[in-house]
Amino acid sequence: MTLRFHVWSIGCQMNTADARRMSDELEACGGEACDRMEEADVVVLYSCVVREAAENKVHNELERIRKVKAGRPSMQIALAGCMVEDDVTDLARRYPFIDRYLSPKLDLPLRDQVFDFLDLDAPYRLDPEDAERFSMVSQPVTVSQGCNRRCTYCVIPFRRGVERSRPSAEIRREIEGLVRRGTREVVLLGQIVDRYGRDIETTLARLLADISEIDGLERIRFLTSYPVDFDRELMEAVASLPKVCEDVNLPVQAGDDDVLRRMARGYKTELYEGVVAEMRSVIPGLGLATDIIVGFCGETETEFANTLALLERTRCDVVHVAMYSPRANTASLKLWPDDVPLEEKRRRLHEIETLQAQVSVEINAGLVGSRQEILVEGIRRDKWYGRTRSNKLVFFDSATSEPGQVLPLTITSASSWSLQGRLESTPTLKTLEPPWPQPD
Ligand code: SF4
């Protein structure tokens, strides 16, 4: 009988990457993925506790599982991701039906975790024809785990442990396998990805050069960067390696030096703006995203105004904004009250979104008439879509496109969050092998 499994994930792209690797391993053991948790023999949940809303969704999912497992006690449940602490006593008390905890601090190879979890001793097998079924144009790949910093609001170092880099040969093998299955773009992930390799005597720039040599891989991105760790070597690698996209996610979190100090970010706004200016001079056409937390402990109206002013000055392409919510074990929870009222946090969040919508529409309007190379990802409501090298979503009409093609488009119109494009009339189409499954 075939083992049916269901892998669920929420939160960051690292969870998405780990969930995909887990699915691959379960499939390689002869398992078959199913969309509905109710039909699975094995359920693996990749949890997130970075924000309260995400954590609540994990609890909701576990309550759903509780009901299903009551009727099907043979189901095996594994909880992975950042909800899994060193001591799982409380979780085990609340959810006694969980069979296995997979800690993100564990460096045991995933395959061993799966075999251990399922008590499998079947020979490892992967049918390459099976593997070709999936269309996976852009895939996240975890290159390092953990973080040595202690930003006062952040729970990640407690859950994912200290910084550890995966060997570059192992990463390369994983990417080569993805490319054989149709992946054309990889997004390299690390809590501070710029620090990749410092514990194994290499650098992210060298890894980027190494995986650039993989035939069939068209694009490389990486997340998430840190202002004091993004050095000149890395900027020059992005600028000089053709496969590495001009796309950087550099969180600033706040535009006020006192708030940054309370957050223990380890830099001032001046340093951040200096790094952004240097990046823009070294990397032409850079797409820049940042993250902001509003309503951090004690954030005054003046401090918030400084964040708005910084965003007006830096004019990022994208701003991810979140409201502060206190998390267990963090220094901010212990040191200060969560004293910005929820309504005020919402107002500040809305104010940033309004400002950023205006900035994005102006930046995007500047692209109308330009020629952009996009990697086609799929079709949505009769429109094909893909992304520019700077990570802008572009929709276009085409009768013949396929996921995985790299196409030249002329941008015809723009809004704050996407662009519309027209296929160039005499495109030098770059159709990539192998072909993807055709839509019915
Ligand atoms: S750099 Fe700060 S915010 Fe990012 S994972 Fe590390 S502790 Fe958390």
Side-chain angles (χ1 to χ4, degrees):
M1 203 179 79
T2 309
L3 175 103
R4 292 168 65 77
F5 67 87
H6 176 82
V7 181
W8 180 94
S9 83
I10 190 170
C12 64
Q13 289 206 50
M14 199 170 278
N15 266 2
T16 311
D18 290 350
R20 190 250 309 140
R21 284 172 63 217
M22 174 59 84
S23 297
D24 289 351
E25 294 293 344
L26 287 167
E27 219 152 21
C29 298
E32 186 183 300
C34 58
D35 293 337
R36 283 170 42 81
M37 172 265 287
E38 289 80 356
E39 293 163 3
D41 306 306
V42 173
V43 176
V44 187
L45 296 190
Y46 278 85
S47 61
C48 174
V49 293
V50 168
R51 304 212 191 293
E52 198 177 352
E55 186 171 355
N56 288 342
K57 283 187 188 159
V58 181
H59 287 297
N60 291 344
E61 195 64 14
L62 285 165
E63 289 303 337
R64 229 160 63 79
I65 291 173
R66 184 196 300 279
K67 291 192 191 113
V68 176
K69 186 155 175 173
R72 288 185 52 211
S74 63
M75 265 177 109
Q76 293 280 298
I77 312 296
L79 184 67
C82 285
M83 193 179 269
V84 182
E85 294 182 80
D86 293 339
D87 179 356
V88 294
T89 314
D90 288 346
L91 276 171
R93 199 173 293 132
R94 184 166 175 184
Y95 301 114
F97 54 87
I98 295 177
D99 300 287
R100 180 61 60 116
Y101 294 91
L102 304 175
S103 165
K105 282 186 187 165
L106 265 186
D107 285 331
L108 194 60
L110 200 65
R111 184 184 309 178
D112 296 347
Q113 292 187 35
V114 175
F115 272 52
D116 184 33
F117 166 42
L118 294 174
D119 204 15
L120 290 171
D121 57 7
Y124 187 81
R125 66 174 178 78
L126 177 60
D127 181 343
E129 286 190 10
D130 266 7
E132 298 277 330
R133 293 197 312 269
F134 305 99
S135 170
M136 316 198 310
V137 173
S138 178
Q139 283 292 307
V141 173
T142 300
V143 299
S144 61
Q145 280 277 11
C147 183
N148 293 353
R149 288 200 168 269
R150 288 288 182 275
C151 300
T152 53
Y153 55 84
C154 184
V155 71
I156 285 176
F158 301 100
R159 304 301 170 95
R160 293 201 177 249
V162 295
E163 203 168 83
R164 289 102 62 209
S165 303
R166 291 175 67 199
S168 44
E170 184 185 305
I171 295 165
R172 185 172 173 144
R173 265 198 308 278
E174 181 179 342
I175 296 173
E176 285 168 344
L178 287 169
V179 169
R180 282 197 294 277
R181 295 162 57 180
T183 294
R184 292 296 169 256
E185 172 182 282
V186 287
V187 185
L188 309 182
L189 303 177
Q191 256 78 44
I192 302 182
V193 70
D194 321 328
R195 295 180 57 82
Y196 170 80
R198 295 189 190 190
D199 52 336
I200 54 171
E201 293 181 11
T202 184
T203 62
L204 181 62
R206 275 185 247 156
L207 178 69
L208 292 171
D210 182 24
I211 62 176
S212 284
E213 289 170 3
I214 297 175
D215 284 341
L217 183 67
E218 290 291 316
R219 286 182 173 184
I220 305 165
R221 302 182 191 274
F222 56 89
L223 294 171
T224 298
S225 290
Y226 202 84
V228 296
D229 292 310
F230 207 117
D231 58 18
R232 185 77 180 202
E233 182 196 21
L234 185 52
M235 292 180 201
E236 285 171 359
V238 176
S240 64
L241 293 167
K243 292 186 182 180
V244 179
C245 292
E246 300 78 18
D247 170 27
V248 170
N249 187 350
L250 192 72
V252 63
Q253 303 300 10
D256 180 273
D257 288 343
D258 286 334
V259 178
L260 289 174
R261 186 179 39 76
R262 294 202 295 282
M263 289 177 165
R265 292 287 291 177
Y267 55 83
K268 295 186 174 180
T269 51
E270 190 183 353
L271 180 138
Y272 183 86
E273 292 184 73
V275 173
V276 168
E278 188 180 355
M279 262 182 202
R280 283 179 165 152
S281 72
V282 175
I283 310 169
L286 177 71
L288 182 67
T290 196
D291 297 356
I292 296 284
I293 296 172
V294 292
F296 186 66
C297 309
E299 186 188 64
T300 63
E301 189 54 46
T302 308
E303 288 169 343
F304 173 65
N306 287 339
T307 295
L308 282 175
L310 177 123
L311 291 176
E312 279 175 18
R313 290 195 301 276
T314 48
R315 293 177 66 80
C316 295
D317 294 73
V318 175
V319 175
H320 307 286
V321 52
M323 293 184 286
Y324 169 69
S325 65
R327 307 279 65 211
N329 298 321
T330 56
S332 65
L333 175 74
K334 292 175 189 157
L335 291 173
W336 306 294
D338 177 20
D339 55 358
V340 179
L342 183 60
E343 269 317 297
E344 181 58 20
K345 286 179 186 166
R346 286 204 181 112
R347 186 192 68 76
R348 292 178 189 183
L349 182 138
H350 182 67
E351 208 166 320
I352 288 183
E353 285 180 343
T354 306
L355 166 68
Q356 188 53 36
Q358 183 59 34
V359 171
S360 297
V361 89
E362 287 167 12
I363 293 174
N364 290 350
L367 295 173
V368 173
S370 72
R371 181 182 184 275
Q372 300 286 329
E373 183 185 80
I374 67 146
L375 175 64
V376 182
E377 290 181 19
I379 191 163
R380 198 185 291 168
R381 288 196 208 106
D382 297 334
K383 286 267 190 192
W384 285 93
Y385 67 90
R387 284 177 190 275
T388 65
R389 292 178 60 89
S390 61
N391 208 17
K392 294 194 184 288
L393 186 61
V394 189
F395 291 92
F396 64 102
D397 292 312
S398 168
T400 56
S401 292
E402 287 180 6
Q405 285 178 316
V406 176
L407 298 177
L409 293 185
T410 302
I411 303 304
T412 53
S413 65
S415 70
S416 60
W417 73 280
S418 70
L419 306 170
Q420 302 282 330
R422 187 183 58 237
L423 262 177
E424 290 194 354
S425 48
T426 51
T428 29
L429 291 188
K430 196 168 174 184
T431 305
L432 300 163
E433 296 295 332
W436 279 262
Q438 301 295 310
D440 292 332

